[in-house]
Amino acid sequence: MSQLETILQKFFGHTSFREGQKEIIDDVMIGNDVLGVLPTGSGKSICYQIPAMLAEGTVIVISPLLSLMEDQVKQLKATGFKDVVAINSFVQEMERSQIFHELSSYKLIYLSPEMIQNKRLLTQLNHMKISLFVIDEAHCISQWGHEFRPDYLKLKEVIAFLNAPPVLALTATATPEVQDDIMNQLERMNMNKHIYAMDRENITFSVQYCNNTKEKLVFISDTLQKFPVPTMIYFSSKKEAEAIASHLHYQLPNLRVAFYHGGMDSMDRVLIQQQFMAGQLDIVCCTSAFGMGINKTNVRLIIHYHIPTQIESFIQEVGRAGRDGLSSVSVVLYAPYDEMLPKRLIDSELPTVEQVKSLYHFFDNKFQAKQTAINEQEIMVAFDLNEIQWRFIKFQFEKYEILKDNHIMSIYEKKNVLVPAIEQLIHNRYQEKLAKLNQMVNWIHQQGCRRRTLFQPFQSTIKEPTFYCCDSCDFQFEQWSPVVDIEKTNTEDWRTSLAHLFDQQIMHSDC
Amino acid sequence: MIHLVNYVILYCIAKINHERTTASVYHLLRGKRSSQTIQDAKLYELSSYFGILKNLKRSDFEKIVEKLQESGWIVSNHKNYASLTEDGYIYLQSHQKTFPVEWLNGMQLASISELFWLRLQLTIQTYTNLVQGNNNFIPITDDHTVQYWFKQHYYHSRTDVRESVDHLYKELLTLLESLPTDYATLFVHRLSGYQKIGLSLYQLAQSSHLSVYDVSLLLTCVIHRFVTKVKVKSNDFPYLSMLIPPSEQHVADVVTQSAQKTKQWLEKGFSIDQIAQIRKLKRSTIEDHVIEIAYIDPSFSVESFLHHQAYTEILHGIKQSKTTKLKDIKSLLHNQYSYFEIRLVFASVTDNNRSMIP
């Protein structure tokens, strides 16, 4: 066994690499810049975790997904790789300065895109040997990508400031245009591309038309009654995830159902996630907040109760099924007017022109009153902006040099340029997002092979499905025979349960 | 089905009876670290309820209050001052024994027991995994200070893992056997460890047909009970005793940071006026701090602020007056004493003594 395989076995418990992993690691280890496009569930993170263990110096990972970072750090620590840390807004001030103090002792540092703007952190990193700079979810750098993040555009300068270490850009979903854009934005046109097909042979695609939500419910409970398999049901709304979970709990007393969303407290989130992984739960009704760090191999069924806003996130969510290679199914439920909810979501991702205007006036007044420091939280509350909307405005204001380091700069006479420009931008972005949604909706309504049409924008060929392809080609639910490996846990009385937990003989009282 | 939380809120409103807004009950149950809340807790004999529902959401609290109103148990004016109706009192009376409020000791235990509970859960999770040879698990709590505590504890304890598991089991079993079955079941179902992930609050609520808040309230009752027992009989619970944080920690956790600083100056021998000058704060602010400390810190002595005779006279006045309103007490005492002095005496009297006050 080579050194890489030994590490893979020791820390990750796999005997061999999955497609693409070894190729990327080898390329990265000799110091090349790499762009890796690997499907969800293919173990992207191993591509930088193993180099972090082997290379001299420190690997930096930029990731926008805070819970994913936290999960990865926990999992790495659990396997025995302890020199790893995540620094993001969850980390308290005091702990943060402790971490900064011993920064160079870490082999792997996860950072949020906001955090890497921190001057103190940057200065310290500048004095360290950075062996690799990783950009996870690299499609966020591209304006064509489905999750554009303005902060990512600053990474180019950050990399230069850190003495230009080799760069590894990773993503699960990137069309050829987005791939080019990533390299463009990073100004690294000579990246070695490792592009792997995104479609997985063992996943079958289908759409279920329903007349109303009641029919959706009937379909779900009938299906689960017939196929009691580990299932994730995706919702766009926390409230509905809770409501349907509670409904299914009573409808399907022989299955264990729970809900999961970002509004739950952190211990309950950990518990639900771990129950699902440990096979103590069968069905999770969740929002997109669930599943990032899920390493469960036997999810057999992914149901979309609401349609996602674009095919990229749909592909990511479906990719959580069947990581063990066994037959798994994706069902999208569609009822008339179901496009309305994602449309509302898109609205909430962009500020209105009015909000931009009034913020502009607010800043103008503040500047004239010589109160230039801003408080982001207060602004978000006062102008009724959510975080995504505020991030959008902030980036534009910084671009036009109205804001710098959270201070208002001279605004004088910029209004005539700025407001129309931002208005145009909001309009364009809205149209782009709408086009993405239409792509998703069209996919639902079209008659052709679902597999082929879904992956067409990303790759020219598709793999031969191992089981069924899709409901246009060969699939009907009645034929499905998934592996059902749900174990039943018996409900025990507390004494038995406690004794089991503590590995004790159960005492039978002889009095 | 009775909702325990409704009962608790109703009880608190009965005690406060129109003298504070209902929001003060919310702050009390959440355990807000402010002089006002801490004082109110003592003033209205609600110390044991302090911080017993830290996860209570404002919107849910308001819904419950609305419901109490709809049920005709309370009436409130537009400024959110509420009091109980006759039906409300009857309801309280008839549900007195539905759950063991007497186990609660919020002011003294809220922060200690929360920490104890996290430590206990992490300890159980770790030991039950280690004893099965599994080092590969994700800690149940994200709280880094708790994780750090466990590492220290594990490193220093030097006992064999098997032994620790057995001890822990025995001590827990003793405690659990003194509980009603329902409570013991909730507690055990919440625990995580080897091949057993605990239930979320929502799941516990579902399986016990209670509300989420009722479940967390009952768990709090149980934990307070455990901490009290372990503290009193530490010889019987040598293992669990190690999991209880020292009481200095408790004072530091409950008292506001600013009051904490005042405490440090006081300990160095400075007077209230001197501290006000040094810290560039108003005298009244420093007085608030002193009152706060007096409420929380069991080792605090009023003698450095008040002569014995003054103390007994004020105490007498408090007992004579039929109200908890400071203004009335002050005039009853012919305005001889300042509000600060009267509040100090209030603070120094324990809840049990206070109950004798009409």
Side-chain angles (χ1 to χ4, degrees), chain A residues 74 95 268 275 280 503-504, chain B residues 162 166 190 197-198 203:
Chain A
K74 280 186 226 164
E95 204 183 337
D268 278 2
Q275 285 174 16
Q280 277 176 229
D503 192 31
Q504 305 284 323
Chain B
R162 179 81 247 179
D166 293 348
R190 180 68 165 166
I197 309 297
Q203 289 172 319

Side-chain angles (χ1 to χ4, degrees), chain A residues 288-327:
Chain A
S288 55
F290 188 66
M292 312 271 208
I294 291 290
N295 244 332
K296 188 175 169 68
T297 56
N298 64 343
V299 179
R300 294 271 159 273
L301 182 59
I302 306 264
I303 300 176
H304 278 84
Y305 187 89
H306 293 132
I307 48 175
T309 49
Q310 70 258 313
I311 57 173
E312 281 89 344
S313 30
F314 175 64
I315 290 172
Q316 296 230 11
E317 285 160 7
V318 168
R320 297 189 177 116
R323 295 201 175 169
D324 54 8
L326 298 179
S327 177

Side-chain angles (χ1 to χ4, degrees), chain A residues 181-199:
Chain A
D181 205 23
I182 292 172
M183 297 197 293
N184 256 323
Q185 297 293 350
L186 291 171
E187 290 179 5
R188 300 224 172 183
M189 296 313 291
N190 295 321
M191 293 182 111
N192 288 342
K193 282 200 197 180
H194 292 261
I195 314 292
Y196 295 92
M198 289 163 51
D199 56 325

